[in-house]
């Protein structure tokens, strides 16, 4: 009998020469109730490099294929989402992605929320 393939969690590929980056994600300021954040169809959230360190640049890959860097303030959020997605997939559950995510700035701080 041959070797059995192990189901290892799939990680989003690192940003590299083959991955064109469209620039920094431009976040709108959400000052009052009724103003809206920007809602994007996100295929994946990733971190540059091979670990989940907070200092790694974070990015989103949009469903259309373009890649946007996330502001530094969203790096911890990105790390947490990537880790959560890896745990789900390792347990055989559905990935968080693709999904819709709302991005914005309120009270001077960047935020992201899965919708």
């Amino acid at each position: 009998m041959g070797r059995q393939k192990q189901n290892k969690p799939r990680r989003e590929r690192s940003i590299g020469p083959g991955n064109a980056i469209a620039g920094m994600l431009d976040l709108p300021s959400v000052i009052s109730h009724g103003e809206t954040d920007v809602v994007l169809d996100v295929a994946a959230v990733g971190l540059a490099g091979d670990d989940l360190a907070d200092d790694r640049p974070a990015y989103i890959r949009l469903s259309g294929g373009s890649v946007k860097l996330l502001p530094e303030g969203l790096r911890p959020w990105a790390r947490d989402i990537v880790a959560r997605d890896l745990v789900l997939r390792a347990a055989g559950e559905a990935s968080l992605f693709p999904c819709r995510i709302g991005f914005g700035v309120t009270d001077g701080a960047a935020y992201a929320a899965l919708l």
Side-chain angles (χ1 to χ4, degrees):
M1 291 276 195
R3 285 178 34 191
Q4 286 187 327
K5 181 179 176 185
Q6 287 206 332
N7 285 334
K8 292 184 179 179
R10 185 188 73 210
R11 296 195 51 163
E12 179 64 18
R13 290 182 312 206
S14 297
I15 298 173
N19 300 326
I21 299 172
M24 184 68 69
L25 179 63
D26 192 23
L27 300 177
S29 290
V30 179
I31 298 169
S32 65
H33 186 67
E35 287 190 57
T36 59
D37 46 14
V38 62
V39 176
L40 299 172
D41 292 316
V42 176
V45 173
L47 301 169
D50 294 330
D51 60 29
L52 298 178
D54 278 338
D55 63 340
R56 302 283 184 190
Y59 62 93
I60 56 172
R61 185 176 312 282
L62 301 175
S63 294
S66 64
V67 176
K68 294 281 191 180
L69 285 173
L70 294 175
E72 190 173 329
L74 288 177
R75 288 178 183 174
W77 172 84
R79 185 203 63 233
D80 292 345
I81 290 297
V82 169
R84 190 166 129 202
D85 192 54
L86 287 171
V87 168
L88 287 172
R89 290 188 288 164
E93 305 218 7
S95 173
L96 295 173
F97 305 102
C99 68
R100 294 175 61 81
I101 301 177
F103 296 93
V105 176
T106 187
D107 295 326
Y111 70 88
L114 279 78
L115 304 176

